Amino acid sequence: MRTMTAPRTRPLRDPAPSKWGYRWQRWMLTPGVRTGLRIGVPTLVLALAAGAWASNDTNRAMIIGRYDQLKAAIQHRPEFMVAGLAITGADEELASTVTELVPVKFPISSFDLDLEAMRAKVAGLAAVKDVYVRVGDAGALEIGITPRQPVALWRTAEGLRLIDSEGVFAGNVAQRAERRDLPLIAGEGAEDNIDEALALFRSAAPIAERVRGLVRIGNRRWDMVLDRDQRIQLPSEGPVAALDRVIGLEQSQDLLARDVALVDVRNPNRPTVRLQRDAVAATRNAVTTGANN
Amino acid sequence: MRDLYETQRAMRNVRKAAMQRGVIAILDVGTSKIACLVLRFDGPGRLAQVEGIGALAGQSQFRVIGAATTRSRGVRFGEIDAMQETERAIRTAVQAAQKMAEVRVDHVIACFSGARPRSYGLDGAVDVDSGIVTEADISRVLASCDVPDFGHDRDVLHAQPVNFALDHRSGMADPRGQVGNRLATDLHLMTVDATAIRNLFFCIKRCDLELAGLASSAYVAGVSSLVEDEQELGAACVDLGGGTTGISVFMKKHMIYSDAVRMGGDHVTGDISMGLQVPMQTAERIKTFYGGVMATGMDDREMIEIGGDTGDWERDRRTVSRAELIGIMRPRIEEILEEVRARLDAAGFEHLPSQQIVLTGGGSQVPGLDGLAAKILGQQVRLGRPLRVQGLPQAATGPAFSVAVGCALFAAHPQDEWWDFDIPAETYPARSLKRAVKWFKDNW
């Protein structure tokens, strides 16, 4: 005979969720809520804890101090240190000026160097055409300078100045004697026509001993000034060719060695020569006395 | 009927939204149990690419990720009787299934068995204007069906076009694009009590769920437990439930008839309870453990201690033989099957080319039922179990879950219903507006 194993009938259990329990469970199963609980709540707790800890001033100061310390420790590693200054491409005078201009106490961390400002400062010097500033090999602060090459002296109301081939101011000179090697120019607009002036000086090489300089007249044409107050007035068009003719005359007939005050070749068709005042009188005397005959 | 059309269309839209979200719940509101499955849709299934395997009626598209069953409360004859109780039961099932699935479901497809389903076969015919059948023609022919007066307190649950005929050709599944002059259709209309639908609507709404579809459980049981050949050649599915026994007749893969007998397993339990003078729960237990319908000589000797639990443990040690139990159960089951037979006869089941009958549902688990059913319903009787779907727990693969599984298939692959087609333009209420626009166009 078989028996019922559990014949007892208890009151029926109907485990049903309450309406709010059901809603709560559904809410908790919503994907957004699940994600929020999994990620948002831990994040929030961490953020709150961190905020509470950081709200204490000493803690914040400690963090900042620790940070600065760490930063300094890294920045002052020997790999980042700059030990010396190496200036290339400058003469001694310029180098000493630049050294004064760059006030750096070595050794210094390369993080503390403001290379841009340094470069701007050095590039501001008149004698410097171009410059690069970098932290190079072996911890040296390299300043590579391309100096301006002065090609002429320019006499202005303020004094003598050096100018380079682009007509840019490249320094001051106290006396003409300091730079005998450079030709002298003067007059309004002389610095803008430096190429022409240099060509004229090259053409005047045979009489270079006697040339004192070039004067720009009316910002239009050149006068070449020689010693003994001689002057060659050149045209605004084709001055080099005109000068060549004068040089030719000088070489063939010793024109300039004579008592000539002015050679005017402004009009190429009608070159004119003015004699010295005394020469005029002497010539006249000679004619009357017939000395030459 | 217009508002029902709108409701059903709205439910189809909800279903579409649920498909996009990928999670939908299946709710089988039965008399003895409420089952809830949570399905996850992730695109076409892996099997779809393999050559030689068809769409598998859509069951490869989804996976069951949550399943729960609870004892049904407040449901009688498949209809909601005590709303709060049912609501609690639904909540229990849904919550447990959600917990298993670990996902929240908002959309639910429900099926229920009762509410006195009634079947109507409608037909309609229209002339095809353009010579080629278009979707609009199908809408028109569906709208031209002569709807019987089924009473204001009934609602249409299913309205499926089962056949299209174009001129002299019949039996077409999809006449769109074909050339013809006269398009005719047969429509299977199934109505149920409006109050039952309304109650179910209300219950599901009270559970914060949105209804994405409604189905008759007789229909979905047929979908899941009939094999394809049976659906094609003609078969009846008898769903022996707790409070009702649903009948659905399939032919050419369409349900052509549906009915329900308002008797089921609970009545058998009631008979045992009355016959043996034991409480219902004990009777249910005895039925499931020792029940049967064919008595043998052995059963006379097998005594069952029924434990009346009257409180008098010393004297109340009643026993019955299993033969007695079978003697109580068999007449009721016979009665149910006779009633099914009568319904099938009334529907003209004997005219179908194949007369396969498939018994499914929880009541079909009674041992020896197939033998008894063969005597009453005819020789072609088999016991049906639901189709296998991915992820279904072992506990939910029995015949008692053929409705739930069928409803899942229905969710994945619903049949075209009347409300899937647009309302034809000439019956549209905005016609006067259209006419006004036309007048403007003509005159300006």
Side-chain angles (χ1 to χ4, degrees), chain B residues 40 42 119 171 182 378 394:
Chain B
R40 196 183 62 213
D42 22 38
S119 261
R182 191 161 180 79
Q394 177 65 33

Side-chain angles (χ1 to χ4, degrees), chain B residues 218-293:
Chain B
Y219 169 54
V220 293
V223 168
S224 73
S225 58
L226 296 184
V227 298
E228 213 164 321
D229 294 351
E230 290 167 345
Q231 287 183 12
E232 180 70 32
L233 298 173
C237 175
V238 178
D239 171 29
L240 292 154
T244 54
T245 299
I247 306 160
S248 57
V249 179
F250 279 74
M251 172 89 178
K252 283 188 185 290
K253 298 202 176 146
H254 291 291
M255 179 173 71
I256 55 170
Y257 176 77
S258 171
D259 207 339
V261 177
R262 285 165 79 78
M263 276 185 286
D266 282 0
H267 296 84
V268 179
T269 311
D271 287 350
I272 295 169
S273 169
M274 283 186 272
L276 302 182
Q277 295 286 313
V278 288
M280 280 293 265
Q281 292 124 282
T282 316
E284 179 74 31
R285 196 177 172 79
I286 292 170
K287 182 183 84 172
T288 47
F289 272 121
Y290 311 110
V293 285

